[in-house]
């Protein structure tokens, strides 16, 4: 995500980065030869400052809770303040509320400035822009601030998971209403936002659910212990046969007793089509696999696992003792959701 951004400036220790979509918008305005483009640029600068103050308000309140802001990324239509850790629900309520509150204060300020100087261009536009920013961000749909506020408020009265579920339903309701509105008004930008909010509502809930179900689990509780392995000198023909005759899709590759790679089903099929069945496993396997220790925390590795398609080899003192796959992690979560905990030997 950081690759499409570049640093712009730092403000009280927080780096503000520009996303390329934002730069394109400004470039179009600057390059436009129409004379009113310059007053548009003035307006765009005012909106930029408003969005930035919204994000800085999040960062300021987060700092009060001793949570550092990694950076603020400014997109085409808004910003994101990335925090170093997920705040607790009570903290998140105030951190989320700070952003829209900043826009409401700015709207009030522009309202008074406009009343005092009615001839100055754009003061009223900026009042409206800030009201719109506050309104949109307060929609009760994750990942918008309103969704975070709703989730926090609900979780004071009910279990965390139920609060997340209700917030997800609210988010989908908001997304559908926004879609209906955009079709009615032919506002296609809103339709894109509605699609995004609908998909995110479900994803946020599933992520929350996994986090709650995983809490306190060790890697070894979710790992497979009976599995086939391949030797680096095996042929792809042999690997394909194991793929057909077992339920397994991912194969650790050994050299003697040492693990040297991981061969996934997709890599196997790809290598078969490229090099034929007589090629060796060593040439097709992934040497850059994720290795985890068995007694480490499963949720602590969640982000790392997600980056690796939830595949990992479990090594104890360099020896292969287990395998993690997406299917098995899901199976593990299903069993936990019905209250079953694995007995560890
Ligand atoms: Zn916000």
């Amino acid at each position: 995500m950081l690759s499409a951004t570049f640093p712009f400036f730092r403000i009280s220790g927080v780096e503000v980065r520009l996303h390329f979509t934002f730069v394109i918008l400004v470039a179009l305005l600057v390059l436009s030869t129409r004379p009113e483009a310059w007053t548009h640029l003035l307006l765009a600068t005012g909106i930029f400052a408003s969005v930035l103050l919204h994000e800085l308000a999040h960062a300021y309140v987060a700092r009060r809770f001793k949570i550092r802001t990694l950076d603020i990324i400014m997109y085409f239509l808004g910003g994101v303040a990335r925090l170093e850790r997920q705040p607790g629900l009570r903290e998140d309520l105030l951190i989320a509320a700070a952003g829209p509150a900043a826009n409401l204060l700015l709207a009030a300020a522009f309202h008074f400035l406009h009343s005092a100087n009615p001839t100055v261009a754009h003061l009223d536009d900026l009042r409206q822009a800030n009201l719109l920013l506050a309104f949109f961000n307060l929609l009760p749909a994750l990942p918008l601030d309103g969704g975070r506020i709703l989730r926090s408020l609900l979780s004071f009265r009910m279990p965390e998971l139920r609060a997340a579920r209700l917030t997800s339903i609210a988010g989908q309701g908001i997304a559908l209403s926004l879609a209906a509105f955009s079709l009615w008004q032919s506002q296609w930008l809103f339709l894109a936002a509605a699609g995004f909010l609908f998909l995110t509502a479900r994803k946020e809930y599933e992520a929350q659910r996994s986090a709650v179900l995983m809490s306190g689990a060790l890697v070894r509780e979710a790992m497979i212990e009976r599995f086939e392995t391949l030797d680096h000198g095996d042929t792809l023909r042999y690997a394909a046969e194991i793929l057909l005759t077992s339920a397994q899709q991912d194969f650790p590759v050994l050299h003697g007793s040492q693990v040297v790679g991981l061969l996934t089903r997709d890599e196997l099929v790809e290598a078969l089509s490229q090099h034929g069945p007589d090629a060796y496993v060593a040439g097709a396997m992934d040497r850059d696999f994720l290795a985890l220790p068995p007694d480490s925390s499963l949720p602590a590795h969640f982000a790392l696992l997600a980056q690796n398609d939830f595949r990992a080899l479990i090594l104890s003192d360099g020896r292969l003792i287990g395998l993690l796959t997406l299917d098995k992690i899901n199976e593990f979560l299903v069993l936990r959701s019905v209250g079953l905990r694995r007995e560890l030997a």
Side-chain angles (χ1 to χ4, degrees):
M1 191 172 79
L2 273 181
S3 58
T5 69
F6 56 87
F8 187 44
F9 63 90
R10 292 182 79 85
I11 179 164
S12 60
V14 178
E15 185 167 71
V16 177
R17 304 178 70 89
L18 294 183
H19 191 255
F20 80 97
T21 51
F22 183 86
V23 181
I24 289 175
L25 172 75
V26 175
L28 283 177
L29 281 174
V30 172
L31 293 176
S32 163
T33 47
R34 305 204 338 257
E36 67 268 27
W38 285 102
T39 76
H40 286 167
L41 192 63
L42 211 63
L43 180 61
T45 308
I47 294 175
F48 174 85
S50 302
V51 172
L52 184 60
L53 283 169
H54 171 117
E55 300 306 328
L56 285 173
H58 287 313
Y60 175 75
V61 177
R63 179 177 292 180
R64 306 279 305 218
F65 293 119
K66 304 216 161 33
I67 302 174
R68 219 162 51 82
T69 300
L70 298 174
D71 51 26
I72 291 173
I73 300 174
M74 300 294 290
Y75 289 90
F76 177 54
L77 285 171
V80 173
R82 296 193 314 145
L83 305 181
E84 72 179 334
R85 67 170 171 87
Q86 180 70 28
L89 289 165
R90 202 173 285 266
E91 299 168 335
D92 203 32
L93 175 63
L94 295 178
I95 296 172
N103 292 123
L104 289 176
L105 285 176
L106 283 168
F110 283 119
H111 173 76
F112 287 118
L113 281 173
H114 176 63
S115 318
N117 316 280
T119 52
V120 177
H122 292 319
L123 287 177
D124 199 48
D125 295 334
L126 286 171
R127 176 187 66 85
Q128 283 184 32
N130 273 286
L131 281 179
L132 195 69
L133 279 171
F135 171 77
F136 183 73
N137 280 293
L138 280 173
L139 289 177
L142 286 170
L144 298 179
D145 298 329
R148 290 163 59 192
I149 293 171
L150 178 65
R151 184 173 63 188
S152 296
L153 288 176
L154 288 174
S155 64
F156 292 143
R157 318 214 51 170
M158 58 184 76
E160 211 173 304
L161 209 51
R162 210 173 127 68
R165 177 94 192 103
L166 286 180
T167 309
S168 153
I169 293 171
Q172 288 182 328
I174 290 288
L176 290 176
S177 318
L178 198 61
F181 173 80
S182 68
L183 290 174
W184 175 46
Q185 292 283 315
S186 305
Q187 294 280 353
W188 308 120
L189 201 60
F190 282 150
L191 193 62
F196 169 75
L197 287 181
F198 192 84
L199 293 178
T200 312
R202 184 81 209 163
K203 276 213 302 232
E204 290 272 350
Y205 169 65
E206 308 248 301
Q208 185 93 5
R209 186 169 180 275
S210 301
V212 169
L213 286 176
M214 254 186 214
S215 66
L218 297 176
V219 163
R220 71 157 73 234
E221 291 178 71
M223 75 186 189
I224 311 171
E225 294 176 54
R226 286 191 296 272
F227 51 86
E228 308 276 346
T229 59
L230 296 170
D231 188 85
H232 74 130
D234 286 335
T235 59
L236 297 180
R237 184 194 310 278
Y238 177 74
E241 209 168 287
I242 305 283
L243 179 72
L244 272 180
T245 55
S246 76
Q248 211 173 316
Q249 301 232 306
D250 307 305
F251 301 92
V253 182
L254 302 179
H255 182 190
S257 65
Q258 205 193 343
V259 191
V260 290
L262 176 66
L263 182 70
T264 67
R265 177 199 165 277
D266 289 353
E267 283 162 354
L268 173 57
V269 171
E270 168 81 18
L272 275 170
S273 78
Q274 291 218 339
H275 309 295
D278 294 321
Y280 294 110
V281 161
M285 70 189 188
D286 186 3
R287 292 165 196 273
D288 199 21
F289 57 88
L290 175 64
L292 296 177
D295 292 312
S296 55
S297 148
L298 185 62
H301 293 302
F302 191 81
L304 206 55
L305 279 164
Q307 280 168 29
N308 285 277
D309 297 323
F310 294 95
R311 257 184 227 112
L313 299 184
I314 315 308
L315 305 184
S316 174
D317 299 323
R319 219 167 44 82
L320 177 70
I321 62 160
L323 181 65
L324 272 187
T325 66
L326 179 59
D327 283 353
K328 282 300 156 186
I329 294 175
N330 278 332
E331 213 78 83
F332 171 73
L333 293 182
V334 167
L335 293 180
R336 274 199 151 206
S337 72
V338 295
L340 201 65
R341 295 284 195 270
R342 185 162 171 186
E343 301 282 338
L344 288 177

